Amino acid sequence: NIYEKFFKGAFPKTVDKLGIVYTPVDCVDFIIRSVDDILREEFNTSLTEENVHILDPFTGTGTFITRLLQLGVISPKDMKRKYEQEIHCNEIVLLAYYIADVNIESVYQEQMHPDKYLPYNGICLTDTFELNESGDNDIFSQLFPENSTRVIAQKKAPIRVVIGNPPYSVGQKSANDNAQNLKYDLLDRRIEDTYVAKTSANLPKSLYDSYVKAFRWASDRISKNKEGGIVAFISNGAWLDGNAQDGMRQCLEEEFSSIYVLNLRGNQRTSGELSRKEGGKIFGSGSRTPITITFLVKNPARKRSKAKIFYHDIGDYLTREQKLSLVKEFKSVANVEWKEIKPTEKNDWINQRDDIFDTLLPLIPDQKFNKDSMSFFSTYAIGVASNRDVWVSGFSKQRVSENMQRMIDFYNKQIGKADFTEDTTKISWTRALKRDMQKGLKHSFNETSFVEAVYRPFNKTQLYYHRPFIESPGIFDKILPEGKENLVICFSTAKTPTVLINAGLSDLHYIGDTQCFPLYWYEENKYRQRTLFDSETGERYIRRDGITDWILKEVRSRYHANNITKEHIFYYVYGLLHSEDYRTRFAADLKKSLPRIPIVEDVNDFMAFYKAGRKLADLHLNYEKVEPCKEVVEKTIGEINKMAKQDSYEYFHITDKMRFKNKQDKSTIVYNEHIVLTNIPEKAYRYIVNGKSAIEWIMDRYQVKTDKKSLIKNDCNDWAREHNQPRYIFDLLQSVINLSIQTVDIVESLPKLKFDN
């Protein structure tokens, strides 16, 4: 515990790289006992038997090895042999290495009481992932010759069991972090040739996460033993259902004979009800990811083309303590009630996709700007990613201007320096900006580069949209070029399937990982030099339809209705994407694919979806103008000058943030020290946007907050002041309460969808 807490405080970047957390003993014991039972069942041997070599490749402070010595799975008569010859472990962090060595040796002396102190020679100070790389890459061999000898001996050992808690970092979040994963040529190539080669995902970056590398490395290490063996890890569980990990799941199924997965849940990258269902985090604050305990069994005697996969979900709403109690109660895989999984052709193990989904019509084209595409839209885009949000956007144009001028001045002073600073209070580096610096490119502040952007649901910001400081602008120059208008349907399934329309520049995480489908897109006019006989207007941009000619023809043909327009189809899509029938039926598909849309059989249902979509769009686009909900009661707290009440900044000022009266009662919101809103209908909280209610989005976004890294303050009151609207936030909250109720009513009125099965 001292080690873990010390590292978090002293070496946060090392923690980011290596994922240093203390593995709960209940989980360690479960893994060790399970491995022993699987060895007996599958291989007619056990952990205590001779020549069953055990390796913990990421030992940390030695918990797995110390518990291996303490649990009684190794008999006293075999203990000395196992300790001296057949138990191996690696650690790369020097402090952890020494603590692990002392722990393991101390436990052995306590268990066996030898006549003289017996040192442990099975631990290596090394980077496990380097062990199979070509050349002499042992970074400690010159400093510690004895360590090099141990590494060579371990590489020759016939490892039968690999156990442990692998590192979990996917790498740095920004160029300032300096926490990127190391490169391993052979291991990365193995991942590329297996997991990446078989994935259907376009972005395989997460397949180079350290814990995925651990699975690949351990699988290859076990395969060297002709008698087979077991890999047993407690790890990030995102691989179990991740879109990019479909190829990894296929490889595991092909490379092993049996697989056991205990899903401990705990995904805290969710929110609201989903987060509560996921329950407590097994590693406490050490990880926000879901956690699984996985056993990969490679038994050459059981020749199968694909593994038998056994799965158990720990269950909903369990606290960390309840989960650990269940794991302790299980003791071993032998006592778990397993369900056999039959993976689909798409390599879904859990949350399996619906076959009907593939028969629906694609929302997006195979290639962007393909006007002849057999899809609803001819193009699509992701939201804008600045990778330095706190610098380039905020409630105050003046504050953002000051921050950006300060950063740009500082950037220009770094050009030509060999030791440029990483100080996050002065600059936010990205790869592109570092390249500019290395090229000697100077930048200047451009006061005309500001646009009003939609940052989060019902949350506008002032965005400094200047290309050198926007890492990924996407194709918004074609969707919303300067001076042009558009409507964009945004969709995401980051936490729950969510759709929201807007008319502005959308942030990448506007409603999750946001995909944008425009009503129009704009093409730059290359022939602006005109003669008197030209029919072109000479406009800089030519407007193109986002809805394809093909889908218009298809819809008109099905309904024999030539009066249907592309706008009808656009709003039909918006209405249908709100359908609970659709989102429930295809929840698993929507997590892994962009929507595919049915054309409903009845033209009356089509028109009902269109009308509902148009109503919803009008409501969501004009959210600031929605009248307050009549049921909600405004109460004044304490004494205040009633003359000032109507337009006073003081009266409507957010001091810190809005809050509920208590967590159990959401009918009352304490707006600030002067105002309370009561009698908020429960129905208003049923409008969920990316995992939480629209009301809670307003409460979350409209607060006074200082960023920890940059120390930049973003004050929601600035928006009201700069727009000369003292009541802005208060009125916005009132509007969104009513908007939520109306949205729920419209969604509940949508026609029922009918499918073949």
Side-chain angles (χ1 to χ4, degrees), residues 78-230:
D78 297 322
M79 186 70 81
K80 189 171 185 292
R81 184 193 74 250
K82 301 297 289 190
Y83 179 76
E84 290 188 312
Q85 301 172 29
E86 296 176 3
I87 298 175
H88 314 268
C89 61
N90 299 333
E91 180 50 46
I92 190 174
V93 178
L94 190 59
L95 177 60
Y97 166 85
Y98 281 124
I99 294 174
D101 196 19
V102 171
N103 279 343
I104 295 165
E105 289 181 1
S106 299
V107 167
Y108 178 78
Q109 318 308 317
E110 289 168 5
Q111 295 291 111
M112 299 305 295
H113 306 288
D115 295 334
K116 62 178 183 177
Y117 192 90
L118 192 63
Y120 175 56
N121 294 317
I123 188 167
C124 299
L125 182 63
T126 189
D127 180 352
T128 292
F129 293 149
E130 282 283 8
L131 294 181
N132 291 349
E133 299 294 305
S134 57
D136 183 12
N137 291 320
D138 180 7
I139 58 176
F140 303 108
S141 59
Q142 294 181 355
L143 295 173
F144 306 106
E146 288 182 6
N147 186 71
S148 186
T149 303
R150 292 180 189 179
V151 169
I152 292 168
Q154 185 195 112
K155 289 172 77 170
K156 293 179 180 177
I159 299 298
R160 197 77 183 272
V161 174
V162 177
I163 58 174
N165 174 6
Y168 60 82
S169 172
V170 75
Q172 62 188 18
K173 294 175 184 175
S174 75
N176 288 72
D177 293 344
N178 194 28
Q180 64 267 35
N181 289 332
L182 296 174
K183 298 283 186 183
Y184 303 92
D185 292 341
L186 294 181
L187 180 56
D188 289 350
R189 199 173 308 135
R190 280 289 292 148
I191 290 172
E192 186 178 341
D193 292 342
T194 54
Y195 300 166
V196 174
K198 296 187 177 183
T199 186
S200 59
N202 295 323
L203 295 172
K205 178 186 174 183
S206 59
L207 290 173
Y208 295 92
D209 189 307
S210 298
Y211 87 92
V212 176
K213 289 181 179 180
F215 271 97
R216 182 67 273 166
W217 184 91
S219 301
D220 290 341
R221 186 68 175 88
I222 284 293
S223 69
K224 293 178 181 178
N225 193 321
K226 294 180 181 178
E227 295 182 352
I230 303 168

Side-chain angles (χ1 to χ4, degrees), residues 676-712:
V676 168
L677 288 180
T678 63
N679 205 36
I680 300 169
E682 178 276 332
K683 182 192 282 189
Y685 292 99
R686 281 159 41 198
Y687 176 40
I688 303 298
V689 181
N690 191 25
K692 62 185 174 188
S693 70
I695 296 169
E696 287 167 289
W697 274 110
I698 300 300
M699 296 173 69
D700 178 68
R701 295 309 310 167
Y702 287 88
Q703 60 173 288
V704 181
K705 192 173 184 179
T706 300
D707 179 63
K708 290 179 181 178
K709 286 188 176 181
S710 64
L711 303 182
I712 289 173

Side-chain angles (χ1 to χ4, degrees), residues 354-361 572 576 579-587 589-590 596-601 605 609 751-757:
D354 194 314
D355 290 340
I356 286 180
F357 189 75
D358 286 339
T359 68
L360 307 181
L361 300 177
Y572 166 80
L576 191 133
S579 165
E580 289 299 328
D581 291 344
Y582 175 81
R583 297 203 285 197
T584 302
R585 175 70 186 258
F586 301 115
D589 298 85
L590 294 172
R596 299 176 75 92
I597 302 289
I599 299 176
V600 292
E601 289 184 15
D605 285 347
F609 276 113
K752 293 294 179 185
L753 289 175
K754 305 176 189 71
F755 298 99
D756 292 338
N757 63 1

Side-chain angles (χ1 to χ4, degrees), residues 441-496:
L441 293 177
K442 285 199 169 188
H443 294 307
S444 57
F445 178 74
N446 184 354
E447 61 183 22
T448 63
S449 291
F450 277 92
V451 295
E452 201 173 86
V454 285
Y455 187 67
R456 293 295 181 266
F458 312 110
N459 169 218
K460 293 177 182 175
T461 59
Q462 297 286 355
L463 173 65
Y464 183 68
Y465 191 63
H466 187 192
R467 182 62 186 90
F469 302 98
I470 303 293
E471 189 75 356
S472 301
I475 58 168
F476 266 83
D477 59 333
K478 291 181 172 60
I479 292 175
L480 270 171
E482 186 179 351
K484 297 299 178 183
E485 295 181 348
N486 209 344
L487 296 180
V488 181
I489 294 174
C490 297
F491 187 83
S492 169
T493 57
K495 291 173 183 174
T496 53

Side-chain angles (χ1 to χ4, degrees), residues 61-81:
T61 54
T63 308
F64 276 87
I65 304 303
T66 56
R67 293 304 292 163
L68 181 65
L69 301 176
Q70 291 171 325
L71 270 180
V73 292
I74 298 173
S75 66
K77 68 181 178 63
D78 297 322
M79 186 70 81
K80 189 171 185 292
R81 184 193 74 250

Side-chain angles (χ1 to χ4, degrees), residues 705-730:
K705 192 173 184 179
T706 300
D707 179 63
K708 290 179 181 178
K709 286 188 176 181
S710 64
L711 303 182
I712 289 173
K713 183 179 179 181
N714 191 24
D715 186 341
C716 61
N717 299 288
D718 289 339
W719 185 274
R721 289 188 180 280
E722 291 191 2
H723 288 76
N724 196 26
Q725 293 177 270
R727 297 176 56 97
Y728 179 82
I729 302 170
F730 180 71

Side-chain angles (χ1 to χ4, degrees), residues 483-608:
K484 297 299 178 183
E485 295 181 348
N486 209 344
L487 296 180
V488 181
I489 294 174
C490 297
F491 187 83
S492 169
T493 57
K495 291 173 183 174
T496 53
T498 297
V499 58
L500 197 57
I501 196 169
N502 71 67
L505 217 60
S506 307
D507 184 79
L508 177 63
H509 301 300
Y510 168 48
I511 52 170
D513 295 329
T514 304
Q515 298 280 352
C516 308
F517 313 110
L519 179 59
Y520 308 113
W521 59 274
Y522 293 87
E523 185 176 12
E524 192 156 6
N525 190 348
K526 297 177 182 177
Y527 305 101
R528 296 178 69 190
Q529 294 295 326
R530 300 288 155 213
T531 70
L532 291 172
F533 304 101
D534 284 332
S535 59
E536 295 286 351
T537 64
E539 288 278 342
R540 182 179 175 185
Y541 296 101
I542 302 169
R543 193 178 79 178
R544 306 295 188 191
D545 290 327
I547 299 293
T548 64
D549 294 339
W550 177 84
I551 194 64
L552 178 64
K553 184 179 178 182
E554 187 73 14
V555 171
R556 285 178 171 178
S557 171
R558 291 201 190 190
Y559 299 137
H560 306 289
N562 287 333
N563 59 333
I564 290 175
T565 67
K566 290 183 177 181
E567 277 201 5
H568 282 102
I569 295 170
F570 181 80
Y571 290 113
Y572 166 80
V573 169
Y574 194 58
L576 191 133
L577 287 175
H578 279 87
S579 165
E580 289 299 328
D581 291 344
Y582 175 81
R583 297 203 285 197
T584 302
R585 175 70 186 258
F586 301 115
D589 298 85
L590 294 172
K591 282 184 178 179
K592 297 171 182 176
S593 310
L594 284 173
R596 299 176 75 92
I597 302 289
I599 299 176
V600 292
E601 289 184 15
D602 192 327
V603 68
N604 293 320
D605 285 347
F606 174 89
M607 292 306 293

